[in-house]
C-alpha cells in the first residue's frame, strides 16, 4: 500500500482556512454577561437617595391604598398616617429588602432557554405597548395589529441575543379587552418557547388565561410548576399612590405563582421631580412600595424590581426615550437596585427616532450600553422599539440583536492569563514569519474572543458599491423578510391548539 503523501504547507493553509470558515465553537458574546463596572453614583450618594426614599415612605406614605391591601399592610406593621395615607416604617422596608427574593429563574417552555435573574447578570429583552408598527413595505407607521404581534413574536424567536419576549405592540384591531388579553397570550404560546411576559387588563382575566397556560403546560396545575410567563404590572402610580386595578392583578398573579415585574414609570418633571437626584429618590420609594406590597402578601415571591426612570422634554412635555438623562438615570437605577441586592429591571433603547437612522443608533447604543455596564439584570424595551415607544419595527429587532451582541462582548471584557498574554506566540512570530496571521493562537482567539456581527457591513467601499450600496435599514429589512417568510413555528400541539380554540375566541 502506498503511504499517503506528507502534508504540504498549502494543505496546512487550506485546513486553517476551513477552520476559519467554520462556525465558532463558543459564543464570544453570550447573553448573561456580568455588568456593574459603570457606577454613576458614589456610595454616599446612593445612601442619601435611599435614606430619602425611606423617609418618603415612612412620613409621606402611600395614598389611594385599596382596602384589602391597606389591611394587609397594617397587619404587617404599616402605620395609618391619617389623610388616607399609609406609612411604611423604615424597619418594615429594611426587613422586606433583606428577606425578598434575590435571584430566581424565569422559565422558558424550552428549558434550554431559561434565564437566571439576579446578581450582576445582564439580559436584553423586550417590552412596550406600541400602538403603531413601522410597516416593512411602506416605511411608514400604521396602527399595530394582532398579525403584527404574531409576526414580531416569531421573528424574535430566531434572535439569540433577545433573552425573553414581552408583547411589544398592542393589537389595536382587537377592541374587546378580554379578547385582547387572550389573543396576546395565545400569540406568545404559539410563536416562541422563550420566557415571555404579558399584561392583564383586569384581575378577572388572570384565571382563564392561566387555564390556557395549563393547556400548553400539559394539564391543570402544570403552569404553576414552571411558570413560563411573567406579568408586567404597574401597581404604583406616580406620585406615591397605588392603583386599585393593578393591585388586584398582583393578588391574582401571586395566587397562580406568576412571577412579576412591578414597574414604576415616573416621568421627570411631570410625575416626579425634575432634579435627577430627587427623581431617583421618589422613584426608588415607589418601587420599594411595590416590593413591600408583594412580600407582605407572599414573602419571598419572585419580583423583578423594575424601577424605570422616564424623561419628558420639559420644553414640550413630550416623552423622550433617548438622551443623556435617560442614559444616566437608568444606569443609576440599576446601580441602586443592585446595591440593595434586588433583581433589577430598567428600560433602555427607547429611541425617539422614527426612522432607522443615526439618531436611532446613537440613542439606542448609548442608553443600552450604559444600563448594561451598570449591571441591569433585565433591560426592557431594548429590542424593536422606536418613536418614543409609540412604534415597533421588524428591522429594529434585527439591528438591535446585533447591538446586544456587541454589548455582551464589551461586558465580557478581557481575559488575562499566561496563555492569553502570549509571550511564546509573540516570540515565535517576531523571530519567524513576522506576523500572526497563521499562528494557532490566532485561530484559537478568533473562535474564542471575537464576535462577528450578522448584519454590520465590513466590506471595502468598492465591494459595498458593487453590492448595491445598501444601508443598514435595507439590509435589516431583507433579513427580517427572510425570517418572516421562512420561520413559521407552532409550539402548540394540534390537540393543545384545538383545546384552546374550543375554550377561547382565538382570532385568525
Amino acid at each position: 500500500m502506498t503511504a499517503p503523501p506528507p502534508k504540504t504547507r498549502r494543505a496546512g493553509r487550506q485546513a486553517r482556512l476551513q477552520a476559519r470558515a467554520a462556525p465558532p465553537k463558543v459564543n464570544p458574546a453570550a447573553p448573561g454577561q456580568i455588568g456593574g463596572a459603570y457606577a454613576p453614583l458614589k456610595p454616599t450618594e446612593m445612601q442619601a437617595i435611599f435614606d430619602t426614599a425611606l423617609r418618603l415612605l415612612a412620613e409621606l406614605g402611600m395614598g389611594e391604598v385599596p382596602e384589602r391591601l391597606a389591611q394587609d399592610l397594617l397587619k404587617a406593621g404599616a402605620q395609618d398616617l391619617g389623610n388616607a395615607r399609609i406609612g411604611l416604617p423604615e424597619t418594615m422596608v429594611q426587613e422586606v429588602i433583606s428577606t425578598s427574593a434575590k435571584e430566581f429563574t424565569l422559565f422558558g417552555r424550552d428549558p434550554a432557554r431559561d434565564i437566571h435573574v439576579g446578581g450582576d447578570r445582564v439580559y436584553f429583552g423586550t417590552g412596550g405597548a406600541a400602538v403603531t408598527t413601522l410597516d416593512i413595505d411602506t416605511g411608514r407607521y400604521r396602527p399595530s395589529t394582532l398579525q403584527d404581534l404574531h409576526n414580531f413574536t416569531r421573528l424574535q424567536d430566531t434572535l439569540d441575543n433577545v433573552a425573553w419576549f414581552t408583547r411589544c405592540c398592542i393589537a389595536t384591531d382587537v377592541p374587546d379587552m378580554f379578547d385582547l388579553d387572550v389573543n396576546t397570550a395565545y400569540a406568545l404560546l404559539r410563536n416562541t418557547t422563550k420566557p415571555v411576559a404579558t399584561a392583564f387588563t383586569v384581575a378577572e382575566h388572570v384565571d382563564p388565561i392561566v387555564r390556557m397556560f395549563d393547556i400548553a403546560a400539559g394539564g391543570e396545575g402544570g403552569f404553576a410548576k414552571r411558570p413560563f410567563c411573567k406579568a408586567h404590572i404597574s401597581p404604583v402610580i406616580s406620585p406615591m399612590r397605588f392603583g386599585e386595578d393593578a393591585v388586584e392583578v398582583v393578588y391574582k398573579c401571586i395566587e397562580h405563582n406568576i412571577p412579576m415585574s412591578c414597574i414604576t414609570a415616573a416621568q421627570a418633571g411631570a410625575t416626579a421631580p425634575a432634579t435627577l437626584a430627587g427623581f431617583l429618590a421618589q422613584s426608588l420609594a415607589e418601587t420599594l412600595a411595590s416590593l413591600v406590597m408583594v412580600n407582605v402578601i407572599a414573602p419571598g415571591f419572585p419580583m423583578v424590581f423594575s424601577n424605570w426612570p422616564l424623561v419628558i422634554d420639559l420644553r414640550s412635555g413630550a416623552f423622550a426615550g433617548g438622551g443623556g438623562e435617560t442614559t444616566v438615570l437608568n444606569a443609576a437605577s440599576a446601580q441602586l437596585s443592585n446595591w440593595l441586592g434586588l433583581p433589577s429591571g430598567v428600560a433602555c433603547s427607547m429611541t425617539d427616532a422614527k426612522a432607522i437612522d443615526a439618531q436611532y443608533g446613537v440613542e439606542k447604543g448609548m442608553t443600552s450600553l450604559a444600563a448594561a455596564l451598570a449591571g441591569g439584570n433585565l433591560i426592557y424595551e431594548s429590542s424593536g422599539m422606536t418613536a418614543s415607544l409609540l412604534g415597533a419595527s421588524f428591522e429594529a429587532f434585527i439591528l438591535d440583536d446585533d447591538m446586544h451582541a456587541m454589548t455582551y462582548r464589551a461586558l465580557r471584557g478581557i481575559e488575562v492569563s499566561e496563555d492569553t498574554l502570549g509571550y511564546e506566540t509573540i516570540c515565535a512570530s517576531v523571530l519567524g514569519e513576522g506576523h500572526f496571521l497563521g499562528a494557532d493562537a490566532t485561530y484559537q482567539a478568533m473562535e474564542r474572543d471575537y464576535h462577528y456581527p450578522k448584519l454590520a457591513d465590513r466590506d471595502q467601499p468598492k465591494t459595498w458599491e458593487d453590492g448595491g450600496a445598501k444601508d443598514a435599514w435595507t439590509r435589516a429589512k431583507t433579513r427580517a423578510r427572510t425570517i418572516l417568510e421562512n420561520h413559521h413555528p407552532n409550539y402548540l400541539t394540534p390537540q393543545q391548539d384545538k383545546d384552546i380554540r374550543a375554550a377561547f375566541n382565538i382570532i385568525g
Side-chain angles (χ1 to χ4, degrees):
M1 179 180 291
T2 303
K7 291 184 178 179
T8 64
R9 182 179 178 86
R10 178 174 176 80
R13 181 174 181 272
Q14 288 176 338
R16 288 194 298 271
L17 288 173
Q18 289 176 353
R20 182 175 180 179
K25 295 178 181 178
V26 297
N27 183 354
Q33 298 294 332
I34 302 301
Y38 174 41
L41 296 170
K42 300 174 183 176
T44 54
E45 293 169 337
M46 288 192 290
Q47 188 65 55
I49 290 169
F50 181 49
D51 289 344
T52 302
L54 292 175
R55 185 179 177 190
L56 285 169
L57 289 171
E59 298 180 12
L60 175 62
M62 299 295 296
E64 300 182 24
V65 185
E67 181 61 26
R68 180 183 185 185
L69 176 59
Q71 294 304 315
D72 285 340
L73 289 173
L74 292 169
K75 289 177 185 176
Q79 297 176 348
D80 188 342
L81 301 178
N83 198 26
R85 301 193 71 85
I86 301 293
L88 307 178
E90 177 179 342
T91 53
M92 181 184 187
V93 178
Q94 294 275 26
E95 176 65 18
V96 163
I97 292 172
S98 67
T99 58
S100 63
K102 303 301 188 297
E103 299 190 13
F104 49 87
T105 299
L106 291 180
F107 297 105
R109 284 164 63 210
D110 177 355
R113 291 177 139 180
D114 293 353
I115 60 176
H116 195 69
V117 181
D120 293 322
R121 290 175 293 273
V122 174
Y123 296 95
F124 288 104
T126 68
V131 293
T132 65
T133 291
L134 183 60
D135 191 279
I136 197 169
D137 295 318
T138 67
R140 295 292 185 266
Y141 287 89
R142 54 167 175 73
S144 298
T145 66
L146 182 59
Q147 187 59 55
D148 288 325
L149 178 59
H150 278 273
N151 290 343
F152 280 123
T153 310
R154 62 190 178 90
L155 176 73
Q156 66 77 41
D157 187 58
T158 70
L159 304 180
D160 294 337
N161 300 309
V162 179
W164 84 95
F165 182 69
T166 303
R167 60 104 170 92
C168 58
C169 69
I170 298 296
T172 62
D173 55 342
V174 184
D176 182 84
M177 289 297 100
F178 180 65
D179 282 347
L180 176 63
D181 283 359
V182 163
N183 280 275
T184 297
Y186 176 79
L188 304 179
L189 289 177
R190 182 183 178 87
N191 296 297
T192 190
T193 56
K194 292 181 183 181
V196 294
T198 192
F200 300 98
T201 306
V202 292
E204 290 74 19
H205 294 182
V206 178
D207 286 347
I209 290 175
V210 168
R211 288 199 296 273
M212 181 194 298
F213 290 160
D214 275 343
I215 292 171
E220 185 176 354
F223 169 74
K225 295 174 183 176
R226 273 184 57 92
F228 50 76
C229 181
K230 68 182 174 73
H232 282 195
I233 313 172
S234 295
V236 170
I237 303 170
S238 302
M240 302 291 291
R241 64 190 193 274
F242 283 104
E244 184 170 7
D245 286 347
V247 168
E248 288 304 313
V249 172
V250 168
Y251 276 96
K252 265 296 177 186
C253 286
I254 290 174
E255 179 184 326
H256 288 288
N257 197 33
I258 303 174
M260 64 188 78
S261 291
C262 284
I263 299 168
T264 300
Q267 296 188 34
T271 59
T275 61
L276 304 193
F279 178 97
L280 287 169
Q282 180 190 307
S283 184
L284 179 61
E286 291 169 336
T287 318
L288 285 169
S290 289
L291 186 75
V292 170
M293 170 192 62
V294 169
N295 281 270
V296 163
I297 300 169
F301 194 83
M303 171 190 145
V304 180
F305 193 80
S306 299
N307 185 5
W308 297 7
L310 303 181
V311 172
I312 64 169
D313 188 317
L314 294 173
R315 300 167 301 179
S316 64
F319 171 68
E325 301 78 24
T326 298
T327 302
V328 70
L329 280 171
N330 277 278
S333 175
Q335 183 188 4
L336 281 163
S337 301
N338 291 357
W339 180 64
L340 293 171
L342 300 170
S344 58
V346 293
C348 285
S349 289
M350 303 175 290
T351 180
D352 303 312
K354 271 59 72 177
I356 311 298
D357 57 12
Q359 177 187 349
Y360 168 100
V362 169
E363 292 179 351
K364 279 182 170 276
M366 287 189 64
T367 58
S368 62
L369 179 61
L373 288 171
N377 296 145
L378 299 183
I379 302 181
Y380 296 84
E381 316 288 358
S382 62
S383 304
M385 305 308 294
T386 61
S388 307
L389 299 184
L390 291 174
S393 161
F394 299 100
E395 301 96 315
F397 265 102
I398 300 297
L399 289 163
D400 294 346
D401 188 60
D402 252 18
M403 177 181 69
H404 300 333
M406 293 177 65
T407 303
Y408 290 138
R409 182 61 193 92
L411 292 181
R412 182 182 157 194
I414 299 170
E415 293 81 25
V416 179
S417 66
E418 183 175 350
D419 181 56
T420 60
L421 286 168
Y423 177 84
E424 298 295 338
T425 299
I426 296 170
C427 292
S429 296
V430 170
L431 298 175
E433 295 183 340
H435 60 77
F436 297 82
L437 292 175
D440 289 340
T442 299
Y443 291 111
Q444 292 169 12
M446 176 183 176
E447 295 184 346
R448 182 188 64 233
D449 295 339
Y450 288 78
H451 166 68
Y452 301 94
K454 297 177 180 177
L455 198 74
D457 183 272
R458 292 179 172 179
D459 288 335
Q460 296 296 317
K462 184 64 167 64
T463 305
W464 172 72
E465 290 172 4
D466 292 344
K470 297 175 183 177
D471 60 16
W473 191 348
T474 302
R475 296 194 303 275
K477 190 188 302 286
T478 299
R479 182 155 182 249
R481 280 179 171 149
T482 299
I483 294 172
L484 292 173
E485 287 170 2
N486 294 289
H487 186 63
H488 296 277
N490 185 353
Y491 293 114
L492 295 168
T493 67
Q495 187 60 52
Q496 289 170 340
D497 194 69
K498 180 180 179 181
D499 291 345
I500 289 172
R501 289 179 179 274
F504 301 96
N505 179 29
I506 301 301
I507 300 170

